[in-house]
Amino acid sequence: MYEQASHALLNEILAKLNPEIGKYRLRRFYTRLGANFYAIYSLFKLLYGDRPDFREQMVRLVETLAMRYIERDPALRRSDIAREVNFNWFLHQKWVAMTLYCDRFANNLQGLKERLPYMQELGVNMVHVMPILDCPPDNNDGGYAVRDFRKIDERYGAMDDLLELSATMRSREMLLVLDVVVNHTSEEHEWAARARAGEKTYQDYYYVFDDRDIPDAYEEAMPEIFPATAPGNFTWDEAMGKWVMTVFNTYQWDLNYRNPAVLIEMIDIILYWANRGADILRLDAVAFLWKKIGSTCQNEREAHLILRLMKDCCQVTAPGVLFIAEAIVAPGEISKYFGEHAIYAKECEIAYNATLMALLWDAVATKNAKLLVQGVGNLPQKLERATWLNYVRCHDDIGLGFDDEDVRAAGYDPALHRSFLIDYFTGDYPASPSCGMPFGTNEKTGDARIAGSLASLVGLETALKSGDEGAVDAAVKTILLLHGVILSFGGMPLLYYGDAIGTLNNMDFLENPATQHDTRWLHRSRFDWDKAARRHEHGTVEQRIFSGLKHLIALRKEIPAFADFDNRQIIPMGNPNLLAYSRTDPENCRCRVLVAANLNVEPQAMAVEDISAHEFFQHGAMTDMCTGEAVPVEDGRITVPPLSFFWLSD
């Protein structure tokens, strides 16, 4: 009965669409709309069914989908069809990503197009260009305080530059990833300006209140995201004469998705950028999309309904486009952003594996794999048609969001252990070679996160200053070790620009009033192309890191077992300094790879009996695919060198 009502409503909606739409041949669009309409209608009704304008808003939503389909380029439509047929295309092991700031990497979009050969030399074929939309010059949160969702910031170029970049990347079989900030806008956005001017329509786009009664009720349960720089979750706006919800920064106004007009606007914006050539859209701060008094206003069920609705709408207009969930939340919450379907991702196909990232940094500090093994063993299951984005560093801080039960199981006190990690990576722990900085320190609780470049956090900066070649070697090995894990773990590996040449911390951010209070700019350096040129000079640090990563990336692409089809198994080790897991070719179960990583600064023995039950070392020595050399068995053990790893096969 409910489904019949949705079909009747669909026919009613189609009859009310803009007559201009009827001039186009939209057979495939109507087929996809029919296939997805029941889900779209059901979700929209759950969220907004009690509103008197429900049907009017449904018409507007479908009309938006149709108009964006009409404008979609034929080449992008062909790509959609190909990806619908090969629907697991993104699970292949060939994809290797890099995230970068356009201006800091290559000045502008034209420069980025000219630098694509650098990425292809390394083996990168998926590029996440950090936010390039129009933002205020100062209060912009690194591009995440958007002033105009349909305009490229003139610092990066113009729309034609992006279209040219997108076309060039397609010709090189590279994927383009762009950001859409779905949770908030800049206070300088047109919607905010019209709200300030007193337009009730646009005040309803945000959470605005005349007095503190409701804000105070929200505050009782809401945590502070940036307590040091933006305490509280509401800001008084003098011009509007109201309180406005500002979860992240005082100049970022949270959008109110209780208003269906907001959802339709944001779906339109998502499809707008899909039509400009984005293969993948990174949806920022998705955990915060629904606010509810009495809750933390994170990970609410309605936020997931919104994401499912966004995905279903995208399936109608641009089904070849994937979503990345930027949800840096507790380990048990992350996998929920794939969706609830048993197989298919109905929210986002890709999610950041923040837990693995944090666990790897724990292993760097402790020089053992106790918490790492415990944590990865309890990683939540993903859906079959979904994948993790595995990374070591990114533009953001390192949060220590381990599950406390895992920390205890590894033998640590959660509070004391986090305190140790902060001290270690900020150089306050005795003998630590790391020189990061704390970020987001909460003076009330003592909690903090960590900022700093990969190279500086693993000790390369300290080693170069002291001229200690042994320490330099250890830092280089650690960089390759960490990437050896993310390249083989299962999912899309994501490199951070600069890491392939050992970029160090940059203190220039302290000279800019707009950035000096945000230590994350410590690792948002301008890419040094003179330093990059040294990647071709034998024996330099740059050459050792770059050539090492290049080799591993090329090798990854040749190993079908590294595709992501739920084909990883953690292998318990008797040695707490080792991480081991198997990877199996999804099309040939006899083709398997054993990954063994030593997080310690001393050689570590791996007992063959620990892994023989998993059908490895059945025929004596195995071959390390990274070197092509056999790894001998001596007295029933193999030795993994310090800060090193094997990719072993028969």
Side-chain angles (χ1 to χ4, degrees), residues 116-159:
L116 292 178
Y118 167 84
M119 284 175 273
Q120 290 195 293
E121 178 188 349
L122 183 59
V124 167
N125 51 15
M126 174 176 156
V127 183
H128 170 209
V129 184
M130 297 284 288
I132 55 174
L133 302 189
D134 178 57
C135 289
D138 294 323
N139 292 331
N140 56 48
D141 189 26
Y144 288 101
V146 179
R147 184 166 56 186
D148 189 334
F149 282 112
R150 290 181 172 84
K151 180 182 177 184
I152 291 176
D153 194 303
E154 61 184 17
R155 290 173 294 176
Y156 308 118
M159 187 63 71

Side-chain angles (χ1 to χ4, degrees), residues 451-491:
S453 75
L454 166 62
S456 294
L457 289 173
V458 300
L460 182 59
E461 182 174 339
T462 299
L464 290 172
K465 287 179 179 178
S466 67
D468 185 338
E469 285 300 322
V472 170
D473 186 60
V476 170
K477 285 181 177 178
T478 303
I479 291 171
L480 296 177
L481 169 61
L482 294 172
H483 284 91
V485 174
I486 69 167
L487 285 163
S488 62
F489 191 75

Side-chain angles (χ1 to χ4, degrees), residues 517-636:
H517 301 296
D518 186 343
T519 56
R520 291 174 300 177
W521 289 97
L522 184 66
H523 53 266
R524 298 173 180 176
S525 305
R526 291 200 174 274
F527 193 82
D528 187 339
W529 286 100
D530 291 332
K531 180 178 175 65
R534 294 198 288 273
R535 73 189 185 276
H536 296 137
E537 298 175 15
H538 182 71
T540 63
V541 167
E542 294 80 6
Q543 183 269 331
R544 291 161 64 188
I545 297 173
F546 188 92
S547 63
L549 289 177
K550 178 180 177 179
H551 172 65
L552 293 175
I553 290 169
L555 189 58
R556 165 193 160 85
K557 294 180 180 181
E558 298 171 0
I559 303 175
F562 287 170
D564 192 18
F565 290 95
D566 297 323
N567 49 335
R568 179 188 65 250
Q569 181 181 6
I570 303 298
I571 299 177
M573 289 282 102
N575 188 330
N577 299 305
L578 297 174
L579 167 69
Y581 48 89
S582 66
R583 302 301 313 280
T584 304
D585 185 338
E587 296 184 1
N588 184 353
C589 63
R590 294 183 178 180
C591 295
R592 303 171 70 222
V593 178
L594 171 64
V595 178
N598 175 11
L599 287 305
N600 197 265
V601 294
E602 300 292 338
Q604 297 296 317
M606 180 166 63
V608 170
E609 66 180 5
D610 286 339
I611 49 181
S612 59
H614 299 272
E615 300 182 357
F616 289 107
F617 286 95
Q618 299 296 300
H619 311 290
M622 296 183 72
T623 299
D624 178 17
M625 303 175 77
C626 298
T627 63
E629 298 177 357
V631 176
V633 178
E634 298 178 356
D635 298 325

Side-chain angles (χ1 to χ4, degrees), residues 29-46:
F29 170 80
Y30 289 128
T31 299
R32 291 182 185 140
L33 179 62
N36 289 278
F37 186 76
Y38 178 67
I40 292 172
Y41 169 70
S42 300
L43 291 166
F44 205 76
K45 189 172 181 63
L46 273 173

Side-chain angles (χ1 to χ4, degrees), residues 165-229:
L165 172 66
S166 172
T168 301
M169 291 181 68
R170 278 198 301 277
S171 71
R172 292 172 176 259
E173 298 185 351
M174 301 176 76
L175 304 179
L176 175 62
V177 184
L178 295 178
D179 276 270
V180 176
V181 183
V182 290
N183 179 69
H184 47 258
T185 74
S186 163
E187 65 177 344
E188 295 185 23
H189 192 284
E190 179 190 0
W191 302 339
R194 296 179 74 169
R196 271 198 178 114
E199 292 189 45
K200 182 66 166 60
T201 296
Y202 289 96
Q203 289 181 355
D204 289 344
Y205 272 41
Y206 302 98
Y207 292 88
V208 297
F209 305 97
D210 293 329
D211 55 43
R212 284 291 310 191
D213 289 347
I214 297 178
D216 286 343
Y218 273 108
E219 292 280 21
E220 288 177 3
M222 291 178 73
E224 296 175 309
I225 304 303
F226 298 135
T229 56

